[in-house]
Amino acid sequence: MKAKGKNILLTIVTLCLSLFVLFTVQPTHHTTAYAADDSLQKIKDRGKIVMATSPDYPPYEFQVSKNGKSRIVGMDVDIMKQVAKDLGVKLEIKSMSYDSVLVAVETGKADVAMSGINPTAKRRQSVDFSEIYYNGGQSFLINKTDVGKYKNKAALAHKKIGAQTGTLQYNLAKSKIPGATVKGMDKNTDLVLALKTHKIDALGIETPSAEAYVKNDHDLAMIKSGYHLNKNETGSAMAFKKGSGTLAAAVNKSIDKIKAKHMTTQYLADAGKYMKVNTTNTSMIHYWTYFAKGIEYTLLISAISVIFGVLLGTILALMRFSKSKLLHAISVAYVEFVRGTPLMVQVMFVYFGVGIIVNLPALLSGIIAVSLNSGAYVEEIIRGGINSVDKGQTEASASLGLAKSDTMRFVVLPQALKNIWPALGNEFVSLVKESSIVSIIGVTDLIYQLNIVRADTYRGVMPVFVAMCIYFVMTFILTRVLNYFEGRMKHAK
Amino acid sequence: MQNKPLVEVKKLQKNYGDTEVLKEIDGTVMPGQVICVIGPSGSGKSTFLRCLNMLEKPTAGQVLFEGKDTSKFSEEELTTLRERMGMVFQSFNLFPNLTVLDNLKLAPIRVKKMSDKEAEDKALSLLKRVGLEEKANVYPSSLSGGQAQRVAIARALAMDPEMLLFDEPTSALDPEMVGEVLAVMKELAEDGMTMVVVTHEMGFAREVANEVWFMADGYILEKNKPNEMFEHPQNPRTKDFISKIINS
């Protein structure tokens, strides 16, 4: 009992220590951010400006495939290309979920976030904004069958309104429509699906987007919002990290030029053309390259993560059995902490949080997070495996004079590994499924590709169904392969 | 026979929580001696044996190996002690993940730093000695119980121990296999190996042992020459035990 109490204490101390280290890292970051405004110079030195965007928002930004290659297009991209040209640098686009784009500039993953973002007062507290480059206005998408029912905003009172989480549309629906229930989702594609299946009655959305949907989906109609709004909050602007004055000033010059020449009209027309190309063939086979790429990344992430997960898990398990109280406590604390936090949060923490210190690419961050997560679960599996080896084996080994490390290496671990093979296989199968979470930081795994296809084709369910089948086929084949090896191991005995 | 004892046990005591398994054990093992420990189940015979090579740590008292107190041994000294004092278990405890040959080679290579070739030659000659050279490359799961125990003895011998502990080596065997294992053990005894054998094989004890110790309730109640022990037991508990065994 006493020993147990001591262990818990050690665990808590280790946890506190690691948290302490994390927090002490933070302030140094802030001081450097405010130190001197070299935001423009840095980009010029690098010869490249990095833009974070969530390409599921036509006509602002969306993904199209041409000749098997997919790329991000749209008005935002065209504007940014012009800005990059004016700055004399190249443009690199990083795609990620909408929730992540602002975090990306805050943490230096990108120089500019551009994703049809409205510069609300709240957002201005955490990032700097450019001038408004486009003012699309607010609308609602509704089902065509409801056109007679919902003629204007007033008719939507006490109805269910959908909007993208964290957007202006969400806040407006909440504050300006009396009695409305506001349902937030991460993606407009999901919201449109919710609208069409009558889970919501109307969808708050920017006018250009609404127009794009109405044009491409004959079941939908739109109504103007009729909100009375401050123009400075409702238009779209680019976001920069706080203290990027020189960069913002340079970008604003380009925006002034674009506005003066009414270049956005042309950009929107171009985007419209892409969207037309996009909707001619919405069969899933047409998009097979998307799915293939998704499968490739999903398998890549799972395979690498399972290898590192097993390595890490073995080390953690050995630490757990170590005589050293400290190693034991670290292992326990690690496993408890990782198992006690969602994988999604860990993925975001590795990409954005650790990104403050080292700039890790999304794919690498994803692999690291999934491996670290898997390690904790594998530790538990291996620990069980080690415990399952008969005590007589250790005794026999000790009676021959073998050191503890040799006993582990030559006698216990090989037997443990055989016992835990089914459980490890299970872990691999669940990794294939759980790795889907990395899509939130823009890793092009199957889920990410699925969402692109949905945004592209305006089809809500079919891509989901296809992805579901792909996942099943992958895990089914994997299970068969693992069973085969399990059978062989039994025979080898 | 030399005069210096190999092992001396003094007032050895072992508790598991509140249960006193060994209350007070004294005894001496001389080099070349074969001692058979008999007694009813639960009398602490196995625990006593496991205290000799420190698989169990005594609660009180001492086990002296060549005059040195084993309870004060460092990890390395313990390893050396176990190298010199081999053990054979009731359930064989062969390593199922290794072939018979590798079972024999592992400790000589890892502990004695023998070359692979040297260890292999030694292993093969030991397998020959227990009559199992043709089983060198099979896995333990394909051996019969008697074969497995002979391999386990060969594995213990591969470390060139000066003394062997046997913990009921034939109790887990089918009756028809007991003979082959006892034969190997008898041969070892004839070659002068120092042995402490916990056993229920009274025939073996009578024939091979120099001394028989009768254990009950955590004490050694009687030590005697085999013939005396079986024909004229002194202690009433011994009398009772022997008569039960003979009449069964």
Side-chain angles (χ1 to χ4, degrees):
Chain A
M1 207 46 223
K2 210 173 172 186
K4 217 176 182 180
K6 226 177 186 176
N7 279 342
I8 290 167
L9 198 72
L10 260 172
T11 311
I12 292 168
V13 168
T14 340
L15 262 180
C16 291
L17 264 176
S18 42
L19 284 179
F20 176 73
V21 171
L22 279 177
F23 282 119
T24 46
V25 170
Q26 285 279 39
T28 54
H29 149 67
H30 278 292
T31 47
T32 52
Y34 290 117
D37 182 8
D38 57 352
S39 53
L40 181 61
Q41 198 53 45
K42 254 167 53 191
I43 289 165
K44 289 201 160 164
D45 290 347
R46 215 192 302 141
K48 183 175 86 175
I49 187 164
V50 180
M51 161 185 175
T53 192
S54 169
D56 57 352
Y57 202 52
Y60 285 80
E61 47 267 315
F62 52 106
Q63 208 151 339
V64 292
S65 81
K66 215 175 181 186
N67 307 329
K69 263 195 164 175
S70 70
R71 57 198 184 100
I72 297 165
V73 295
M75 178 178 67
D76 282 356
V77 178
D78 286 340
I79 292 176
M80 206 58 219
K81 272 185 190 156
Q82 184 61 45
V83 169
K85 202 171 145 196
D86 292 346
L87 293 177
V89 295
K90 280 190 193 153
L91 171 62
E92 183 190 324
I93 301 174
K94 272 192 184 176
S95 59
M96 56 192 72
S97 75
Y98 186 74
D99 280 341
S100 301
V101 292
L102 286 182
V103 189
V105 289
E106 281 178 74
T107 56
K109 287 272 165 193
D111 303 307
V112 50
M114 196 178 186
S115 211
I117 305 166
N118 305 117
T120 57
K122 227 180 200 167
R123 286 182 181 151
R124 283 184 191 280
Q125 288 170 3
S126 49
V127 290
D128 282 355
F129 276 102
S130 70
E131 285 175 19
I132 305 283
Y133 59 83
Y134 187 75
N135 208 322
Q138 303 296 325
S139 290
F140 291 105
L141 270 180
I142 54 171
N143 286 303
K144 212 169 219 170
T145 47
D146 290 340
V147 167
K149 227 159 73 184
Y150 307 129
K151 287 217 163 70
N152 51 36
K153 184 180 69 162
L156 292 172
H158 302 286
K159 297 291 173 197
K160 276 190 203 138
I161 314 285
Q164 235 178 325
T165 325
T167 60
L168 177 70
Q169 290 78 31
Y170 184 89
N171 293 337
L172 285 175
K174 265 217 151 137
S175 59
K176 307 240 171 176
I177 300 181
T181 317
V182 183
K183 190 156 173 53
M185 289 189 193
D186 196 36
K187 293 195 176 294
N188 270 330
T189 41
D190 292 324
L191 286 162
V192 170
L193 190 62
L195 177 66
K196 291 177 78 170
T197 52
H198 300 278
K199 303 237 169 27
I200 53 175
D201 301 308
L203 163 57
I205 191 166
E206 292 232 341
T207 306
S209 270
E211 281 167 351
Y213 275 104
V214 170
K215 214 186 271 175
N216 287 294
D217 191 327
H218 300 297
D219 297 334
L220 297 174
M222 62 183 280
I223 51 174
K224 291 272 180 200
S225 73
Y227 290 133
H228 298 289
L229 297 166
N230 169 3
K231 287 249 171 199
N232 273 333
E233 289 210 353
T234 59
S236 299
M238 305 174 202
F240 311 103
K241 187 178 190 168
K242 275 265 178 211
S244 305
T246 53
L247 176 61
V251 170
N252 282 339
K253 253 190 228 162
S254 295
I255 293 177
D256 287 343
K257 190 176 84 182
I258 289 165
K259 275 190 186 161
K261 290 187 180 173
H262 297 289
M263 288 158 95
T264 45
T265 324
Q266 184 57 41
Y267 294 157
L268 275 174
D270 289 346
K273 264 185 235 155
Y274 275 122
M275 284 157 60
K276 267 192 198 132
V277 172
N278 245 351
T279 48
T280 48
N281 190 350
T282 58
S283 88
M284 289 300 114
I285 292 168
H286 180 68
Y287 284 91
W288 76 271
T289 49
Y290 281 70
F291 289 112
K293 191 179 177 195
I295 294 171
E296 183 193 333
Y297 275 83
T298 292
L299 287 181
L300 180 78
I301 295 164
S302 316
I304 297 180
S305 301
V306 88
I307 292 168
F308 283 104
V310 167
L311 279 179
L312 178 66
T314 312
I315 294 169
L316 285 169
L318 292 178
M319 281 167 70
R320 186 93 172 222
F321 283 101
S322 146
K323 260 190 191 163
S324 155
K325 284 237 166 81
L326 182 70
L327 290 182
H328 177 90
I330 290 173
S331 172
V332 172
Y334 181 88
V335 172
E336 291 297 323
F337 188 78
V338 169
R339 291 203 307 171
T341 50
L343 177 56
M344 181 171 153
V345 176
Q346 293 162 5
V347 168
M348 300 214 302
F349 183 79
V350 171
Y351 187 54
F352 296 121
V354 179
I356 294 167
I357 308 160
V358 213
N359 197 357
L360 300 169
L363 177 63
L364 185 61
S365 304
I367 289 174
I368 290 175
V370 175
S371 303
L372 290 178
N373 180 276
S374 174
Y377 289 91
V378 171
E379 187 275 341
E380 290 292 279
I381 294 173
I382 292 183
R383 193 160 66 96
I386 289 175
N387 282 333
S388 77
V389 175
D390 181 29
K391 200 172 155 243
Q393 294 287 312
T394 328
E395 286 182 352
S397 183
S399 80
L400 287 166
L402 281 161
K404 279 205 172 108
S405 54
D406 278 353
T407 302
M408 215 22 133
R409 187 171 144 202
F410 295 103
V411 178
V412 177
L413 274 185
Q415 294 183 50
L417 211 61
K418 199 174 137 244
N419 291 346
I420 62 177
W421 182 255
L424 273 185
N426 208 13
E427 171 68 14
F428 192 16
V429 170
S430 64
L431 260 188
V432 169
K433 293 178 286 170
E434 278 168 22
S435 67
S436 60
I437 210 86
V438 298
S439 62
I440 56 165
I441 55 169
V443 178
T444 51
D445 83 322
L446 195 48
I447 292 291
Y448 183 88
Q449 298 294 79
L450 144 78
N451 282 321
I452 295 295
V453 174
R454 293 177 70 198
D456 240 27
T457 56
Y458 298 91
R459 296 179 72 179
V461 182
M462 203 52 195
V464 178
F465 181 72
V466 170
M468 195 162 83
C469 293
I470 293 175
Y471 270 116
F472 177 71
V473 169
M474 284 198 295
T475 52
F476 186 78
I477 294 173
L478 195 58
T479 313
R480 297 297 112 181
V481 172
L482 290 165
N483 284 353
Y484 171 76
F485 281 112
E486 192 187 333
R488 286 206 15 172
M489 251 199 254
K490 261 186 196 144
H491 291 302
K493 199 182 149 176
Chain B
M1 220 180 269
Q2 291 159 319
N3 291 329
K4 262 195 191 156
L6 195 55
V7 176
E8 278 174 284
V9 182
K10 290 181 176 169
K11 294 195 190 306
L12 175 65
Q13 200 184 322
K14 175 72 189 177
N15 303 343
Y16 292 112
D18 293 334
T19 321
E20 297 180 313
V21 181
L22 302 179
K23 286 168 188 157
E24 198 183 318
I25 303 283
D26 291 277
T28 307
V29 184
M30 301 299 285
Q33 237 185 351
V34 176
I35 290 165
C36 282
V37 183
I38 61 169
S41 304
S43 56
K45 305 185 297 289
S46 287
T47 307
F48 161 65
L49 200 68
R50 294 154 67 87
C51 282
L52 294 184
N53 68 349
M54 298 298 278
L55 280 183
E56 301 287 351
K57 305 269 178 280
T59 308
Q62 288 175 311
V63 176
L64 304 180
F65 185 74
E66 292 181 332
K68 276 176 254 158
D69 186 352
T70 55
S71 66
K72 296 195 172 72
F73 275 12
S74 67
E75 200 65 40
E76 279 138 65
E77 284 172 304
L78 266 184
T79 301
T80 317
L81 170 75
R82 288 170 182 160
E83 254 185 270
R84 299 176 62 186
M85 198 189 283
M87 186 158 193
V88 175
F89 299 84
Q90 180 177 353
S91 48
F92 331 132
N93 294 343
L94 293 179
F95 307 134
N97 55 315
L98 301 176
T99 61
V100 165
L101 191 63
D102 286 336
N103 261 279
L104 266 68
K105 280 163 69 181
L106 179 62
I109 289 175
R110 298 299 304 177
V111 183
K112 282 207 187 298
K113 311 290 173 205
M114 246 184 224
S115 74
D116 190 78
K117 178 85 183 63
E118 226 180 320
E120 181 149 340
D121 288 347
K122 176 152 199 131
L124 287 172
S125 81
L126 283 168
L127 284 176
K128 198 171 177 184
R129 186 166 166 193
V130 297
L132 287 170
E133 70 227 280
E134 79 280 10
K135 296 286 183 189
N137 292 310
V138 306
Y139 283 89
S141 56
S142 68
L143 299 175
S144 73
Q147 290 170 336
Q149 195 60 297
R150 278 144 69 197
V151 170
I153 293 172
R155 180 175 70 176
L157 289 173
M159 293 301 284
D160 288 321
E162 282 141 74
M163 175 172 176
L164 278 180
L165 309 175
F166 291 85
D167 188 5
E168 304 199 27
T170 56
S171 300
L173 298 178
D174 290 335
E176 76 270 20
M177 291 170 186
V178 171
E180 60 192 82
V181 172
L182 292 182
V184 170
M185 289 168 64
K186 194 175 158 194
E187 231 175 87
L188 282 176
E190 280 162 2
D191 288 350
M193 174 67 73
T194 313
M195 292 159 62
V196 178
V197 186
V198 171
T199 187
H200 294 292
E201 294 297 329
M202 298 306 152
F204 175 83
R206 199 160 180 167
E207 195 181 342
V208 181
N210 305 106
E211 226 178 88
V212 177
W213 296 356
F214 174 75
M215 266 184 86
D217 306 329
Y219 296 98
I220 294 177
L221 294 181
E222 192 169 342
K223 290 179 196 165
N224 224 326
K225 298 264 176 244
N227 279 338
E228 292 295 308
M229 181 70 96
F230 290 110
E231 270 148 43
H232 311 290
Q234 303 298 310
N235 191 291
R237 291 290 304 271
T238 322
K239 272 185 197 161
D240 185 47
F241 179 74
I242 303 248
S243 76
K244 268 184 191 155
I245 285 203
I246 288 168
N247 296 333
S248 70

